Amino acid sequence: MSLSKLLRVLHRDISYFFTGMILIYAITGILLNHLKDINPYYIIDVRKVEFELPTDTSEISRELIVQKIEALGEPEVKSFYYPQPSTLKIFVKDGTITANIDEGTALIEKSTRRPILYQLNMMHKNRPHSWWTWFSDIFALGLIIITITGLFLIKGKKGITGRGAILVIAGIALPLIAMFVFF
């Protein structure tokens, strides 16, 4: 088998094998670039409701809080405290309720994991000391092989000795410039 054929076979087969990983990293990379626009991990639901409590906080008991929370459809009160004299912070399953005692209102904040995107992002972030770390390292090595073999697939003026060289130099220069200018 010639070197050229070996490079094509390696490039093709490794690319096929890592197609799923390449798509996962590309999609989650886009999501991580736009954290201000979308939370790729959780769906946050915030709503304001009426929540009447006695203005004298000594009259507020755990039983009263549980009763009020159950009326809102929340299953359990984990804990609560007063961060400020007229503010009651209540921790419930998957969220918090911040009650403004003076106004008689509460802000309910609930978070739920985004299906699929949460898991994909956790795969992208990776956790050290797991089998996934080893797989991710093998994937990175696969990307290096795909890149290097791809450089030599096309010969002549459109390959690495012609137009390809200009594109490779530009592709390396752009992140280097960005690294020094923006980071």
Side-chain angles (χ1 to χ4, degrees):
M1 180 183 294
S2 70
L3 180 61
S4 177
K5 184 166 177 133
L6 176 65
L7 293 177
R8 274 196 298 282
V9 168
L10 283 172
H11 185 84
R12 180 196 62 217
D13 291 351
I14 293 172
S15 295
Y16 284 153
F17 182 76
F18 285 120
T19 296
M21 284 295 295
I22 292 168
L23 290 172
I24 287 170
Y25 273 64
I27 291 166
T28 56
I30 291 168
L31 291 171
L32 292 172
N33 283 341
H34 297 278
L35 286 174
K36 291 179 185 172
D37 304 318
I38 183 171
N39 181 334
Y41 298 101
Y42 295 97
I43 298 167
I44 310 294
D45 179 35
V46 179
R47 61 188 168 110
K48 192 172 187 176
V49 296
E50 289 185 22
F51 198 77
E52 297 289 333
L53 289 171
T55 53
D56 181 2
T57 57
S58 66
E59 297 177 24
I60 300 174
S61 64
R62 181 173 182 80
E63 292 77 25
L64 178 62
I65 294 170
V66 168
Q67 179 185 13
K68 293 284 190 176
I69 295 302
E70 285 176 350
L72 294 174
E74 293 299 327
E76 68 176 280
V77 173
K78 292 182 176 185
S79 64
F80 62 92
Y81 77 102
Y82 295 92
Q84 298 172 351
S86 64
T87 303
L88 175 63
K89 185 84 163 189
I90 307 164
F91 296 92
V92 295
K93 185 177 188 306
D94 298 324
T96 61
I97 299 173
T98 307
N100 185 319
I101 296 169
D102 294 337
E103 292 180 6
T105 61
L107 194 64
I108 302 174
E109 297 180 73
K110 301 282 286 192
S111 64
T112 54
R113 285 185 179 173
R114 284 194 188 275
I116 300 171
L117 291 182
Y118 177 87
Q119 290 82 359
L120 292 178
N121 275 292
M122 293 310 288
M123 291 170 75
H124 190 135
K125 281 177 61 175
N126 200 350
R127 294 285 178 240
H129 309 297
S130 72
W131 70 271
W132 191 250
T133 300
W134 287 102
F135 184 77
S136 296
D137 290 346
I138 293 166
F139 171 61
L141 182 62
L143 287 177
I144 292 168
I145 293 169
I146 290 168
T147 302
I148 291 171
T149 57
L151 292 173
F152 302 102
L153 291 181
I154 299 176
K155 297 178 182 171
K157 65 181 181 178
K158 293 183 180 177
I160 193 66
T161 59
R163 183 176 76 178
I166 296 167
L167 292 171
V168 168
I169 291 168
I172 292 171
L174 188 60
L176 286 175
I177 291 168
M179 181 174 69
F180 290 112
V181 172
F182 300 111
F183 303 102

